[in-house]
């Protein structure tokens, strides 16, 4: 077993001599150890606006996850959520899978 080359990390090597976490950070930020990671702070008002159909110009990852979770609970399929948030359906699918939510294949959205 080859280990990750980031100092202090003993996880198994995945690619480019990095483990899964450090490879993902390298892929996303250009470095396996970014000085600042994205904020997990949540603006509840922005989330409520986005769920209501008036998304602000920018949502953080944490806010976007909350919106996808709320819209999924209303039985919205991925393409509708994508249109609602003005992002791609593959982005919605990725978020949904990361949250462990099953796909919505049928049904009508539940009103708020």
């Amino acid at each position: 077993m080859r280990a990750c080359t980031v100092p202090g990390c003993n996880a198994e090597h995945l690619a480019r001599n990095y483990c899964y976490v450090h490879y993902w950070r390298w892929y996303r930020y250009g470095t396996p150890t970014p000085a600042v990671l994205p904020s997990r702070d949540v603006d509840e008002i922005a989330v409520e606006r986005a769920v209501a159909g008036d998304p602000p110009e920018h949502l953080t990852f944490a806010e976007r996850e909350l919106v996808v979770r709320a819209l999924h609970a209303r039985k919205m399929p991925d393409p509708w959520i994508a249109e609602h948030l003005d992002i791609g359906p593959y982005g919605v699918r990725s978020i949904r899978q990361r949250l462990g939510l099953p796909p919505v294949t049928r049904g009508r959205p539940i009103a708020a």
Side-chain angles (χ1 to χ4, degrees):
M1 173 183 110
R2 294 184 355 200
C4 180
T5 58
V6 173
C9 181
N10 296 322
E12 186 176 349
H13 160 270
L14 171 73
R16 292 191 170 262
N17 295 320
Y18 301 131
C19 65
Y20 176 80
V21 170
H22 291 114
Y23 175 77
W24 183 85
R25 289 179 181 169
W26 169 83
Y27 181 80
R28 180 130 187 124
Y29 307 111
T31 177
T33 55
V36 178
L37 290 174
S39 172
R40 297 297 292 179
D41 293 338
V42 173
D43 180 355
E44 295 294 332
I45 295 171
V47 172
E48 289 174 16
R49 283 181 51 203
V51 170
D54 182 27
E57 188 173 314
H58 178 73
L59 291 171
T60 65
F61 289 120
E63 292 165 348
R64 195 168 288 181
E65 285 178 353
L66 288 173
V67 173
V68 168
R69 188 181 297 275
L71 295 176
H72 181 272
R74 293 182 182 181
K75 304 294 184 203
M76 276 191 170
D78 293 353
W80 293 9
I81 295 173
E83 185 176 326
H84 193 84
L85 286 175
D86 195 26
I87 62 175
Y90 294 111
V92 173
R93 183 181 70 186
S94 174
I95 292 169
R96 181 181 49 73
Q97 289 175 337
R98 185 171 55 245
L99 295 173
L101 302 172
V104 174
T105 54
R106 293 197 223 188
R108 296 182 187 177
I110 300 170

Short mmCIF file of all heavy atoms in Angstrom, two decimals, residues 5 9-10 25 27 37 41 44 51 56 60 65-66 69-70 77-78 84 90 95 98-101 106 108-109 112:
data_model
loop_
_atom_site.label_atom_id
_atom_site.label_comp_id
_atom_site.label_asym_id
_atom_site.label_seq_id
_atom_site.Cartn_x
_atom_site.Cartn_y
_atom_site.Cartn_z
N THR A 5 1.28 11.44 -0.05
CA THR A 5 2.56 12.13 0.15
C THR A 5 2.42 13.44 0.93
O THR A 5 3.43 14.10 1.18
CB THR A 5 3.23 12.42 -1.20
OG1 THR A 5 2.34 13.20 -1.99
CG2 THR A 5 3.59 11.14 -1.91
N CYS A 9 -0.37 12.80 6.60
CA CYS A 9 -1.50 12.01 6.12
C CYS A 9 -1.03 10.58 5.86
O CYS A 9 -0.08 10.36 5.12
CB CYS A 9 -2.08 12.61 4.84
SG CYS A 9 -3.50 11.70 4.21
N ASN A 10 -1.71 9.63 6.46
CA ASN A 10 -1.35 8.23 6.29
C ASN A 10 -2.36 7.46 5.46
O ASN A 10 -2.33 6.23 5.42
CB ASN A 10 -1.20 7.56 7.67
CG ASN A 10 -0.07 8.16 8.45
OD1 ASN A 10 0.97 8.50 7.91
ND2 ASN A 10 -0.28 8.32 9.75
N ARG A 25 -8.86 18.01 -3.28
CA ARG A 25 -8.47 19.40 -3.02
C ARG A 25 -7.51 19.90 -4.11
O ARG A 25 -7.62 21.04 -4.55
CB ARG A 25 -7.84 19.53 -1.64
CG ARG A 25 -8.84 19.39 -0.53
CD ARG A 25 -8.18 19.49 0.82
NE ARG A 25 -9.16 19.32 1.88
CZ ARG A 25 -8.85 19.16 3.14
NH1 ARG A 25 -7.57 19.13 3.52
NH2 ARG A 25 -9.79 19.01 4.04
N TYR A 27 -7.40 18.83 -7.20
CA TYR A 27 -8.21 18.97 -8.41
C TYR A 27 -9.05 20.24 -8.35
O TYR A 27 -9.16 20.97 -9.32
CB TYR A 27 -9.10 17.73 -8.56
CG TYR A 27 -9.97 17.75 -9.78
CD1 TYR A 27 -9.45 17.40 -11.02
CD2 TYR A 27 -11.30 18.13 -9.70
CE1 TYR A 27 -10.24 17.42 -12.16
CE2 TYR A 27 -12.09 18.14 -10.83
CZ TYR A 27 -11.56 17.79 -12.06
OH TYR A 27 -12.35 17.82 -13.18
N LEU A 37 -10.22 26.83 3.12
CA LEU A 37 -11.24 25.99 2.50
C LEU A 37 -12.55 26.76 2.44
O LEU A 37 -12.73 27.72 3.18
CB LEU A 37 -11.42 24.69 3.29
CG LEU A 37 -10.25 23.73 3.22
CD1 LEU A 37 -10.47 22.56 4.16
CD2 LEU A 37 -10.05 23.23 1.81
N ASP A 41 -20.41 28.41 6.49
CA ASP A 41 -21.41 29.30 7.04
C ASP A 41 -22.64 29.31 6.14
O ASP A 41 -22.54 29.18 4.93
CB ASP A 41 -20.86 30.72 7.17
CG ASP A 41 -19.76 30.82 8.20
OD1 ASP A 41 -19.70 29.95 9.09
OD2 ASP A 41 -18.95 31.75 8.11
N GLU A 44 -29.32 31.82 6.26
CA GLU A 44 -30.65 31.20 6.23
C GLU A 44 -31.61 31.95 5.32
O GLU A 44 -32.46 31.34 4.66
CB GLU A 44 -31.23 31.12 7.65
CG GLU A 44 -30.46 30.22 8.58
CD GLU A 44 -30.53 28.76 8.18
OE1 GLU A 44 -31.52 28.34 7.55
OE2 GLU A 44 -29.58 28.03 8.50
N VAL A 51 -35.14 28.51 -1.98
CA VAL A 51 -36.19 27.49 -1.95
C VAL A 51 -37.48 28.07 -2.50
O VAL A 51 -38.23 27.39 -3.20
CB VAL A 51 -36.38 26.94 -0.52
CG1 VAL A 51 -37.62 26.07 -0.42
CG2 VAL A 51 -35.15 26.15 -0.08
N PRO A 56 -30.35 33.97 -4.65
CA PRO A 56 -29.41 35.08 -4.78
C PRO A 56 -28.35 34.76 -5.82
O PRO A 56 -28.28 33.63 -6.33
CB PRO A 56 -28.79 35.20 -3.38
CG PRO A 56 -29.04 33.89 -2.74
CD PRO A 56 -30.26 33.30 -3.38
N THR A 60 -23.28 29.49 -1.19
CA THR A 60 -22.13 28.67 -0.81
C THR A 60 -22.50 27.21 -1.03
O THR A 60 -23.66 26.87 -1.25
CB THR A 60 -21.76 28.89 0.67
OG1 THR A 60 -22.83 28.42 1.49
CG2 THR A 60 -21.45 30.35 0.97
N GLU A 65 -26.48 22.86 -0.74
CA GLU A 65 -26.89 21.55 -0.23
C GLU A 65 -28.22 21.64 0.50
O GLU A 65 -29.08 20.78 0.33
CB GLU A 65 -25.81 20.99 0.70
CG GLU A 65 -24.59 20.47 -0.01
CD GLU A 65 -23.53 19.96 0.93
OE1 GLU A 65 -23.69 20.12 2.17
OE2 GLU A 65 -22.55 19.39 0.44
N LEU A 66 -28.40 22.68 1.32
CA LEU A 66 -29.66 22.84 2.05
C LEU A 66 -30.84 23.06 1.10
O LEU A 66 -31.93 22.54 1.32
CB LEU A 66 -29.55 24.00 3.04
CG LEU A 66 -28.67 23.75 4.25
CD1 LEU A 66 -28.50 25.04 5.06
CD2 LEU A 66 -29.25 22.66 5.13
N ARG A 69 -31.66 19.76 -0.58
CA ARG A 69 -32.34 18.90 0.38
C ARG A 69 -33.80 19.31 0.53
O ARG A 69 -34.71 18.48 0.54
CB ARG A 69 -31.64 18.94 1.73
CG ARG A 69 -32.17 17.93 2.72
CD ARG A 69 -31.46 18.04 4.06
NE ARG A 69 -30.05 17.76 4.02
CZ ARG A 69 -29.52 16.53 4.09
NH1 ARG A 69 -30.29 15.48 4.18
NH2 ARG A 69 -28.22 16.38 4.06
N ALA A 70 -34.06 20.62 0.64
CA ALA A 70 -35.44 21.12 0.82
C ALA A 70 -36.29 20.85 -0.41
O ALA A 70 -37.44 20.41 -0.30
CB ALA A 70 -35.41 22.61 1.13
N PRO A 77 -37.76 16.47 -9.02
CA PRO A 77 -36.67 15.71 -9.65
C PRO A 77 -35.48 16.63 -9.97
O PRO A 77 -35.61 17.86 -9.99
CB PRO A 77 -37.31 15.18 -10.93
CG PRO A 77 -38.54 15.98 -11.15
CD PRO A 77 -38.94 16.58 -9.85
N ASP A 78 -34.35 16.03 -10.20
CA ASP A 78 -33.10 16.77 -10.42
C ASP A 78 -33.22 17.86 -11.50
O ASP A 78 -32.76 18.98 -11.26
CB ASP A 78 -31.96 15.83 -10.78
CG ASP A 78 -31.56 14.93 -9.61
OD1 ASP A 78 -32.09 15.11 -8.50
OD2 ASP A 78 -30.73 14.03 -9.83
N HIS A 84 -34.50 25.41 -11.14
CA HIS A 84 -34.86 26.27 -10.01
C HIS A 84 -33.64 27.04 -9.50
O HIS A 84 -33.73 28.21 -9.18
CB HIS A 84 -35.43 25.39 -8.90
CG HIS A 84 -36.12 26.11 -7.81
ND1 HIS A 84 -37.44 26.50 -7.90
CD2 HIS A 84 -35.70 26.52 -6.59
CE1 HIS A 84 -37.79 27.11 -6.78
NE2 HIS A 84 -36.76 27.12 -5.97
N TYR A 90 -26.41 17.71 -13.61
CA TYR A 90 -25.36 16.85 -13.07
C TYR A 90 -24.83 17.39 -11.75
O TYR A 90 -24.45 16.64 -10.86
CB TYR A 90 -24.22 16.67 -14.07
CG TYR A 90 -24.67 15.92 -15.30
CD1 TYR A 90 -24.77 16.55 -16.52
CD2 TYR A 90 -25.03 14.58 -15.22
CE1 TYR A 90 -25.21 15.87 -17.65
CE2 TYR A 90 -25.46 13.88 -16.32
CZ TYR A 90 -25.55 14.53 -17.54
OH TYR A 90 -26.00 13.85 -18.63
N ILE A 95 -24.75 16.68 -5.83
CA ILE A 95 -25.10 17.12 -4.48
C ILE A 95 -26.03 16.11 -3.83
O ILE A 95 -25.85 15.71 -2.67
CB ILE A 95 -25.74 18.52 -4.51
CG1 ILE A 95 -24.72 19.57 -4.94
CG2 ILE A 95 -26.34 18.87 -3.15
CD1 ILE A 95 -25.32 20.93 -5.24
N ARG A 98 -24.17 13.04 -2.83
CA ARG A 98 -23.30 13.31 -1.68
C ARG A 98 -24.12 13.35 -0.39
O ARG A 98 -23.65 12.93 0.67
CB ARG A 98 -22.56 14.64 -1.89
CG ARG A 98 -21.55 14.94 -0.81
CD ARG A 98 -20.66 16.13 -1.13
NE ARG A 98 -21.39 17.33 -1.43
CZ ARG A 98 -21.40 17.94 -2.62
NH1 ARG A 98 -20.70 17.43 -3.61
NH2 ARG A 98 -22.07 19.04 -2.82
N LEU A 99 -25.37 13.82 -0.48
CA LEU A 99 -26.24 13.88 0.69
C LEU A 99 -26.93 12.55 0.98
O LEU A 99 -27.61 12.41 1.98
CB LEU A 99 -27.32 14.96 0.49
CG LEU A 99 -26.80 16.39 0.41
CD1 LEU A 99 -27.93 17.34 0.04
CD2 LEU A 99 -26.14 16.82 1.71
N GLY A 100 -26.77 11.58 0.08
CA GLY A 100 -27.37 10.27 0.26
C GLY A 100 -28.86 10.24 -0.01
O GLY A 100 -29.57 9.40 0.54
N LEU A 101 -29.34 11.14 -0.87
CA LEU A 101 -30.76 11.20 -1.20
C LEU A 101 -31.05 10.37 -2.44
O LEU A 101 -30.31 10.45 -3.41
CB LEU A 101 -31.18 12.65 -1.44
CG LEU A 101 -30.93 13.62 -0.28
CD1 LEU A 101 -31.21 15.05 -0.71
CD2 LEU A 101 -31.78 13.23 0.91
N ARG A 106 -40.71 10.16 -10.11
CA ARG A 106 -42.08 10.53 -10.48
C ARG A 106 -42.68 11.40 -9.40
O ARG A 106 -42.12 11.62 -8.38
CB ARG A 106 -42.95 9.30 -10.59
CG ARG A 106 -42.63 8.39 -11.68
CD ARG A 106 -43.82 7.53 -11.85
NE ARG A 106 -43.44 6.15 -12.03
CZ ARG A 106 -44.31 5.23 -12.35
NH1 ARG A 106 -45.55 5.53 -12.47
NH2 ARG A 106 -43.93 4.01 -12.54
N ARG A 108 -45.48 14.67 -8.31
CA ARG A 108 -45.60 16.11 -8.49
C ARG A 108 -44.98 16.80 -7.29
O ARG A 108 -45.06 16.30 -6.17
CB ARG A 108 -47.08 16.49 -8.58
CG ARG A 108 -47.73 15.89 -9.79
CD ARG A 108 -49.14 16.33 -9.87
NE ARG A 108 -49.77 15.57 -10.95
CZ ARG A 108 -51.02 15.67 -11.27
NH1 ARG A 108 -51.81 16.47 -10.60
NH2 ARG A 108 -51.52 14.97 -12.25
N PRO A 109 -44.39 17.95 -7.52
CA PRO A 109 -43.82 18.67 -6.39
C PRO A 109 -44.88 19.00 -5.34
O PRO A 109 -46.02 19.30 -5.68
CB PRO A 109 -43.26 19.94 -7.01
CG PRO A 109 -43.10 19.62 -8.46
CD PRO A 109 -44.16 18.62 -8.78
N ALA A 112 -45.22 24.32 -0.86
CA ALA A 112 -44.64 24.69 0.45
C ALA A 112 -45.70 24.94 1.48
O ALA A 112 -46.78 25.32 1.28
CB ALA A 112 -43.79 25.94 0.29
#
